[in-house]
Amino acid sequence: MPRLLIITSTTRPGRIGTAVAEWVLTLAREHGGFDVEVADLAEIALPFLDEPDHPSEGTYIHDHTRQWSAMVDAADAFLILAAEYNRGITAPLKNALDALYAEWAGKPVGYVSYGMSSAGLRAVEMITPVAVALGMTPLPDIVTLPLREVLDPDGRLIPGERRAHGVHQLLEELRRYAEALCQLRKPAAA
């Protein structure tokens, strides 16, 4: 079974990203097409680019980088929960992407975006060229969560059936791409 790594993009205390991650994790388990793991960037707490060598070298001296490398390398597909901060990508997510190189390559990435005015789409627009530069294959369909619509008056996440259906469709596309791209990542026969 392919491995899906769901990556949170926020680290702020009290963040809505935790509720988004729990919702997406539940849907991914219901989908049943992946062995699922969540990479919570708040818990991982990667320092900002503290390795002396360029990530393309793949030589890491810090345990936190080696652990992050192993987690990303083991994944066959990624689902980034893309919060939008000030019309862009969050610093912890950009750092997590830039900390590695080859571990990302040849794998599909999908997005569930969230935010106020654009529901996170501007963040996805900034993440996508980075994903391409790292050799990932971004999927075209994005599930968006406009926070003014999906939070109840008490701040609880209520995304609704239509968005849940969208996540299931996105997971199915990720599964199909993961299986196809897995073949491309295999070493060529001698």
Side-chain angles (χ1 to χ4, degrees):
M1 188 176 316
R3 293 182 59 119
L4 174 67
L5 186 62
I6 299 171
I7 303 172
T8 66
S9 63
T10 60
T11 59
R12 184 181 298 172
R15 60 201 160 121
I16 193 66
T18 303
V20 174
E22 290 170 3
W23 176 66
V24 171
L25 177 61
T26 299
L27 294 173
R29 287 182 174 152
E30 286 173 6
H31 176 267
F34 292 99
D35 182 14
V36 185
E37 184 175 7
V38 174
D40 185 335
L41 296 183
E43 293 175 8
I44 294 169
L46 280 175
F48 278 87
L49 299 179
D50 65 342
E51 292 288 343
D53 292 327
H54 191 278
S56 65
E57 298 294 321
T59 55
Y60 308 120
I61 64 170
H62 298 295
D63 285 339
H64 53 259
T65 312
R66 286 190 203 110
Q67 291 168 0
W68 179 233
S69 170
M71 185 180 284
V72 170
D73 196 45
D76 297 302
F78 306 104
L79 184 53
I80 295 177
L81 308 181
E84 181 178 316
Y85 283 8
N86 301 318
R87 298 186 179 204
I89 185 175
T90 65
L93 178 59
K94 181 69 164 83
N95 182 59
L97 292 167
D98 289 345
L100 306 175
Y101 187 73
E103 296 89 340
W104 301 108
K107 300 173 184 179
V109 59
Y111 306 102
V112 172
S113 69
Y114 58 100
M116 289 299 189
S117 57
S118 78
L121 286 173
R122 292 179 292 210
V124 171
E125 288 176 358
M126 291 179 75
I127 298 165
T128 299
V130 176
V132 169
L134 293 170
M136 288 186 265
T137 301
L139 299 186
D141 292 331
I142 302 162
V143 176
T144 60
L145 301 173
L147 294 181
R148 287 184 179 92
E149 294 177 24
V150 299
L151 295 178
D152 73 8
D154 295 321
R156 288 183 302 250
L157 183 68
I158 314 288
E161 281 303 311
R162 180 176 58 85
R163 290 184 179 91
H165 180 70
V167 171
H168 277 282
Q169 289 180 305
L170 180 58
L171 289 165
E172 187 55 25
E173 278 300 285
L174 275 170
R175 186 195 59 74
R176 289 174 4 93
Y177 272 75
E179 289 175 357
L181 290 172
C182 180
Q183 297 303 313
L184 295 176
R185 290 196 318 270
K186 289 182 180 177

